[in-house]
Amino acid sequence: MEPSAPSTPDAVVIGAGPNGLVAANLLADAGWSVLLLEAQPDIGGAVRSTREVHPAYVHDTFSSFYPLGAASPIIRGLGLEDHGLVWEQAPAPFGTPYVGGGWALVHRDREATAEALERQHPGDGRAWLRLCRQWDRVGPSLVGALLSPFPPVRHGLGLLARLPGAGGLGLVRELLSPVRTVLDSELRGTAPRLLLAGNALHADIPLDSPGSGLMGLLLTMLAQDVGFPVPRGGAGQLTGAMGRRLEQRGGQLRTDARVEQVLVERGRAVGVRLAGGEVVRAGRAVLADVSAPALYGDLVAPDQLPDRVLRAMRRFEWDPATVKVDWALDGPIPWASAPEAAPGTVHVLDSIDDLHRFETELRAGHVSDRPYLVMGQMATADPTRAPAGGESVWAYTHVPQDARSGPPGFTGRWDEADKDLVAGLFERRIAELAPGFADRVVARRVLGPPDLQARDANLVGGALGGGTAALQQQLIFRPVPGWGRAETPVGRLFLASASAHPGGGVHGAPGANAARAALLHARLPG
């Protein structure tokens, strides 16, 4: 990755996260010369892995499981398997252990999922299969619509054509409803409620808000369609394959190359200035895989932007912050009761009321002393992640961006003492379900919100989604009301990050949308 790029590439792409890599690859496929600039020492953004926790174990620094990537026609269209990517799957995609014993599990086989739900609560198995049949009718068009530039005309028309056979307006209402409404109308037992609600909280949409039902159903149904796959050898193998593909197509990659300014002349982006003063011109376009607030008013000077954009950035809403803990274990997690099939992803929650309490505390600026956890058993999914018999584990929870209170001793500084305190909360909660967990820990790493941002500047305050996924900042409101597309107020400059529609998740849509917009505008006169 030496600085050997052409003096004036057609496109300069800022940021080598998955969206920047997708954008650069699609432009290279179209015959453009591309220079991709990354501030960090390696590419990948929030899709990276290292042996930092323990040299014998691979841990993903940020994201790990990629159902949206496996379902995305954008990612699939890159043919990354030809560039070294191998997908692995756990025996079961995800599950939730009960404190009193037993599990709620989603299997890859929907019939197996339904049978287990029916055993736990008669009627739930049949209701589950009804949801699956509805998904079969609308799922592909729905995923296509979510990942397309707004408005999604082609996939939207396909979705409308399939609605009459899938429940019509009743299904539309269900998809737009809070997940609590979906649960109350369809499913009665504990297991399906925990499964859907646990997935709904992967985004920052409250359980009683519109959109949470769609998120819960989307991830749950994808688990049965494509699973929750992981790249063999670590998350970095996914973005590594993207980087290799780009270089094979003539694209150039430069790391340790931090962009300080987008150069604008006569209202059009013409290049960038790097830290240290180097100027790189762009012949056709600049694409920015950076957060919207970092682009508008920081990389692009305020005097080059309309006042309404600057006002919108002052009101931009981030999603909650994150604390993540990684453990190297010398054996599998000692669950008190073994699941029927070992899940890769584990949601730790007691009940819907438990989630509601957690959300209330989060909105109040309080770090919960009993956090909702998303966990990953990585060697369960990919045995290369740990020595034989060992396990590579992580867990994360959301915390307030402005944490004003917390458990006794919490200061809000996110220093080592705060991080140790919160990691202890994680371990105590896991020990309720897996006694002896702490005895198997060989090494541990705790990443607080400032640590996550230091490793990826797009994770502002530890926010993983590029801005809240709540309705007030989605669709035409993302990132600025009235837009919803990759174009910016500056000509030949395109926003290619999760701050653009459709938002967070490793699916490549913001990068693909930006690349398509750049190609389209390059063909227009003037």
Side-chain angles (χ1 to χ4, degrees), residues 13-17 36-43 48 254-259 274-275 454-457:
V13 179
I14 307 169
L36 181 55
L37 300 171
E38 169 56 45
Q40 293 289 334
D42 50 2
I43 67 170
R48 282 185 279 164
R254 283 181 60 181
T255 55
D256 290 312
R258 182 167 61 86
V259 174
L274 305 183
R455 292 163 184 249
D456 183 344

Side-chain angles (χ1 to χ4, degrees), residues 161-182:
R162 288 168 172 78
L163 279 176
L169 292 179
L171 177 60
V172 175
R173 180 179 181 276
E174 189 171 281
L175 292 173
L176 297 177
S177 294
V179 72
R180 294 186 73 130
T181 302
V182 176

Side-chain angles (χ1 to χ4, degrees), residues 323 347-350 354-355 357-358 361 367-374 396-399 407 421-430:
V323 177
H347 300 145
V348 177
L349 64 153
D350 295 334
D354 182 45
L355 285 182
R357 171 201 54 78
F358 173 77
E361 291 177 332
V367 174
S368 177
D369 61 358
R370 192 168 177 78
Y372 159 69
L373 301 180
V374 180
Y396 79 78
T397 194
H398 292 308
V399 295
L421 188 156
V422 173
L425 299 175
F426 282 33
E427 290 171 351
R428 284 193 289 277
R429 184 140 208 204
I430 295 168

Side-chain angles (χ1 to χ4, degrees), residues 89-97 102-109 112-113 116 119 195 335 337-346 377 380-381:
Q89 299 269 7
F94 68 90
T96 299
W103 284 73
L105 279 179
V106 160
H107 299 262
R108 286 292 306 278
D109 181 347
T113 304
R119 287 196 302 270
L195 295 171
W335 299 113
S337 61
E340 182 180 346
T345 299
V346 178
Q377 303 186 112
T380 297

